[in-house]
Amino acid sequence: MSDDLITIGRIIKVLGLKGEVKVLSLTHNPERFRKLLSVFIVSPQGKGSERRIRGVRSWQGRVILSFEGISTSGEASGLLNHLIKIPEKDLDPLPDGEYYIFQLIGFTVYTDEGEDIGTLTDVLSTGSNDVYVVKKGEKEYLIPAIKDVIKEIDMKGRRMVIHPMKGLLD
């Protein structure tokens, strides 16, 4: 299986008797599932295989999928907690200035005065704006992903420059 697979969902429940599964969408655009012909289903242990999608629908705000070769709830139950992944090359392009989380993880974060404050390890979605989790040793900083703070994102150099607001790094 390819290393360039990106997680776009997780199977959280079997729905009905015909092998459908409810998916927790981990993508900014849940409608993307309607465009897919196949996905990779990966177990919590990391084993996976490609599956053709038989059907896609929405129910109670969730994505419901069915797969070729899975036609009963018993067969579908074997997919619980499995991740749904697609190749990175199949990602939708984002507008300028927007990035996928996986692209930013591992960036070195500097202040606009050149101080290395650590490595971006996670992104928290809060509803109003994302928050970047930056760690260096025992220290952890929560950096709001807003224009007043994030000054530069250098994709090639895998670095980010921030202007810390008063008290942000204390």
Side-chain angles (χ1 to χ4, degrees), residues 21 46 57 71 75 87 92 97 101 106 114 125 141 163 166:
V21 294
R57 64 185 180 95
S71 56
E75 292 169 339
D92 292 335
I101 292 171
S125 295
Y141 303 104
H163 176 76
K166 185 174 178 156

Side-chain angles (χ1 to χ4, degrees), residues 1 11 17 24 28 35 61 64 67 71 77 82 91 95 97 101 114 132 134 145 153 166-167 169:
M1 199 164 41
I11 297 171
L17 301 174
L24 172 64
H28 72 286
K35 299 177 191 174
I64 308 301
F67 300 102
S71 56
S77 68
H82 284 52
L91 289 173
I101 292 171
Y132 298 147
V134 178
I153 295 179
K166 185 174 178 156
L169 302 178

